[in-house]
Amino acid sequence: MRAASIAALTPVVAMACALTLPQAAQGADYLRGSQIEQPIEAPSFGAGAFDWSGFYFGGFAGQSETEFEPGPGLPDLARSAFRNTALGQTVDMGQFVVDQGARRDSGTNFGGFLGYNYLFGDVVLGLEADYTRADQGYGFRDFIARRTTAGGQTLDWSMDTKLGARLHDYATARLRMGYAYGRIMPFATIGAAFGRFDAYSTIDATAAIVTNANTATETSRMAAGYPLRVGVARKNIWGFGMAFGAGVDWAVTDNLLLRAEYQYIGFGEVEGTSTTVNTGRIAAALKF
């Protein structure tokens, strides 16, 4: 009787096992999977599409080296200072002006910029303007005094030469050309520069006519028209030039850009001095 009951239950047990084993296997897989940590993907800083088009603005800080190159105008100023004297008519007074050579100044600068980009596939074209506070300059002074006899006349003369310039600040307007590699964009720039200078190039001259030179009765009197200043000293005058540069932008997020950049600016002559500026700078900007 008992054996018969067990025999009758055998098909039921087999069916129950067939139904429950797959569910148990899935449950085991679930529990086992919950104990295995899924790998974390490393961030890919340069990958992924990014829309570089649009407006942006930001600020920067950098280090500049500025070179000031005096022009050839000082000898002409010296000749002009004595053009109406026998001395100036017989002696080249330009030879007494010391050759200055290039002067350099360096320091930190800061400023801001804004621009707009247009995207053509992976090619980026844009317009950008920036302003830089520089405050770099140079100054030179030389004094010479001599007694010279020329044209039968003895003169005690002197020249006090002053030459210098200071670049207070400048701005550029540039065309920007870049190529997008996802969120990284190298670029180059070219455009115009405008700088605000103080500049001076002057000679203060004296000429005294000596009578009975080198005797006990020697006397002297200032020649007509002396003391005399030639040249100019001017403040807040504008210099113009060209700007070139290259750098790389990194889109950290959809709205935050970081930049590293080199910029070269060459200004034309301003009151006897030509100026070039080499700058390396880092920047951050907001993009819209």
Side-chain angles (χ1 to χ4, degrees):
M1 181 76 171
R2 185 172 181 176
S5 298
I6 294 173
L9 290 173
T10 300
V12 176
V13 174
M15 183 176 294
C17 290
L19 293 173
T20 58
L21 282 175
Q23 299 300 323
Q26 292 179 6
D29 289 342
Y30 175 80
L31 292 174
R32 184 167 55 252
S34 67
Q35 303 302 315
I36 300 175
E37 294 184 358
Q38 299 298 319
I40 300 175
E41 294 185 2
S44 180
F45 294 108
F50 179 72
D51 183 5
W52 286 95
S53 63
F55 173 77
Y56 61 91
F57 73 93
F60 61 82
Q63 180 77 16
S64 291
E65 181 176 271
T66 303
E67 181 175 286
F68 300 92
E69 182 71 39
L74 278 181
D76 288 338
L77 282 181
R79 297 181 187 105
S80 175
F82 294 92
R83 65 186 182 277
N84 293 323
T85 65
L87 175 66
Q89 294 168 7
T90 57
V91 178
D92 181 11
M93 300 302 291
Q95 66 180 309
F96 298 107
V97 176
V98 177
D99 183 12
Q100 309 304 313
R103 303 296 179 96
R104 291 179 173 84
D105 192 11
S106 61
T108 58
N109 58 39
F110 60 90
F113 62 97
L114 55 84
Y116 194 93
N117 288 330
Y118 300 88
L119 187 63
F120 302 93
D122 291 327
V123 176
V124 180
L125 296 178
L127 298 173
E128 183 173 296
D130 64 8
Y131 166 82
T132 303
R133 179 66 178 176
D135 196 27
Q136 296 181 10
Y138 85 106
F140 173 84
R141 184 174 184 177
D142 180 61
F143 180 82
I144 184 173
R146 292 190 179 182
R147 171 171 289 187
T148 303
T149 299
Q153 189 177 63
T154 300
L155 291 176
D156 284 339
W157 60 269
S158 70
M159 288 194 297
D160 187 5
T161 303
K162 300 173 186 176
L163 179 68
R166 177 160 296 275
L167 174 60
H168 292 294
D169 47 16
Y170 58 89
T172 72
R174 294 164 292 133
L175 173 67
R176 205 163 74 114
M177 302 153 286
Y179 192 87
Y181 296 92
R183 290 181 173 269
I184 301 294
M185 185 187 71
F187 64 86
T189 62
I190 183 173
F194 318 87
R196 185 170 62 96
F197 291 81
D198 289 347
Y200 55 91
S201 176
T202 64
I203 293 179
D204 292 306
T206 65
I209 301 173
V210 180
T211 304
N212 300 324
N214 303 318
T215 69
T217 59
E218 177 181 311
T219 61
S220 67
R221 60 180 176 82
M222 194 65 66
Y226 293 88
L228 171 69
R229 168 171 285 189
V230 292
V232 293
R234 301 174 63 187
K235 292 183 177 294
N236 295 323
I237 58 176
W238 289 96
F240 303 94
M242 295 293 294
F244 307 90
V248 59
D249 278 354
W250 171 31
V252 182
T253 70
D254 288 346
N255 300 108
L256 177 62
L257 306 177
L258 296 182
R259 173 184 295 184
E261 183 179 14
Y262 164 78
Q263 187 180 78
Y264 170 87
I265 295 178
F267 290 104
E269 188 172 303
V270 177
E271 298 302 333
T273 299
S274 300
T275 306
T276 58
V277 186
N278 289 274
T279 303
R281 61 192 188 186
I282 56 175
L286 296 177
K287 177 185 176 298
F288 300 92

